[in-house]
Amino acid sequence: MLYRFVFWIALLACVAAAERAQAHPHVWVTMTEEILYASDGSATGVRHAWIFDDMFSAFATQGVEGKTKGTWTREELEPLAKVNVESLKEYAYFTYAKVDGKRRKDAFLEPVDYFLEYDPKDTVLTLHFTLPFKTPVKAKAIEIEVYDPEFFIDFGFVENQPVRLVSAPAQCSASVERPQDDNFPSSFRLDKNFMTSEANMGMGANFTNRIFVKCP
């Protein structure tokens, strides 16, 4: 089935309609992140879990058929998940990597182990997917950035345990850096009523979420 209200295609349609002359967030994503390691101590990928706001989750699931009204299984959401991750490629999955301080261009392979999960209690969708590194990384410092350069999507970490190292060497540690509140002019706030035209294209880099991994 070809979904009319498909995740990123729907976003692009909205973008085109507004001409994106001015940018401000329309979609809110809350993230939990994992950095994956192999037995030899090399980092092999990043596993995302992105929770979408309830308004957008309702929009994205329009036209998706399910056996139970108001909820969907992973299997029923599988075609939508496939379109999501395929569409993210154009945007580099909003995920960028630095290794020992140097930007690694095209650091990741295409996503694997992806699926959408629907929470009927909170009425939200969560997109799970893993980005494998093209080449496993052995480094003292890895930095992962997540943001939308055009600031159509506002990404933010969950409050508790936003990042976890999976099977990493015992000496490795992880921390996060959240965007500073003072990145926003005093004339507007970041919430679901945020409809100002004062935000400019390209300002999304000011709202970068960073993961820092340090190993001896």
Side-chain angles (χ1 to χ4, degrees):
M1 175 180 179
L2 180 61
Y3 296 105
R4 243 174 56 174
F5 296 103
V6 172
F7 203 99
W8 297 106
I9 294 177
L11 289 185
L12 293 176
C14 291
V15 169
E19 296 183 357
R20 297 192 83 160
Q22 302 292 335
H24 56 273
H26 289 68
V27 180
W28 285 259
V29 171
T30 305
M31 305 179 294
T32 300
E33 305 292 335
E34 293 180 332
I35 311 300
L36 310 180
Y37 281 80
S39 58
D40 67 353
S42 60
T44 59
V46 179
R47 181 185 292 150
H48 293 298
W50 292 354
I51 304 171
F52 292 89
D53 66 85
D54 54 352
M55 292 178 63
F56 183 72
S57 295
F59 176 76
T61 51
Q62 290 186 46
V64 181
E65 296 180 356
K67 291 183 179 180
T68 304
K69 185 177 180 180
T71 190
W72 297 269
T73 65
R74 291 186 190 181
E75 291 73 22
E76 290 165 344
L77 292 169
E78 185 175 350
L80 185 58
K82 185 175 186 295
V83 172
N84 292 349
V85 295
E86 289 177 350
S87 300
L88 282 168
K89 183 176 181 179
E90 182 179 351
Y91 305 97
Y93 310 101
F94 299 118
T95 307
Y96 312 91
K98 291 181 181 179
V99 177
D100 287 332
K102 295 182 179 180
R103 174 82 59 187
R104 181 168 287 191
K105 188 177 180 181
D106 299 325
F108 300 103
L109 297 171
E110 294 185 0
V112 297
D113 301 329
Y114 58 82
F115 62 93
L116 275 169
E117 189 172 31
Y118 185 77
D119 183 342
K121 180 179 178 181
D122 293 331
T123 63
V124 294
L125 284 170
T126 301
L127 177 63
H128 301 263
F129 66 103
T130 298
L131 290 176
F133 282 112
K134 286 186 176 180
T135 303
V137 175
K138 274 194 174 182
K140 291 185 177 181
I142 299 173
E143 180 180 338
I144 304 297
E145 299 176 342
V146 182
Y147 67 96
D148 175 6
E150 297 185 354
F151 202 40
F152 192 75
I153 304 168
D154 174 44
F155 289 93
F157 290 118
V158 297
E159 287 299 323
N160 298 317
Q161 296 184 321
V163 62
R164 189 168 73 94
L165 302 182
V166 179
S167 301
Q171 301 89 345
C172 296
S173 62
S175 61
V176 300
E177 179 181 281
R178 305 170 190 268
Q180 297 296 314
D181 289 341
D182 57 11
N183 284 331
F184 283 100
S186 59
S187 57
F188 63 82
R189 295 174 56 232
L190 180 62
D191 57 36
K192 292 180 184 177
N193 296 316
F194 176 57
M195 295 300 291
T196 181
S197 62
E198 296 184 36
N200 295 316
M201 290 284 287
M203 71 177 296
N206 295 323
F207 303 95
T208 300
N209 300 269
R210 293 182 172 91
I211 300 169
F212 300 99
V213 180
K214 295 183 178 180
C215 294

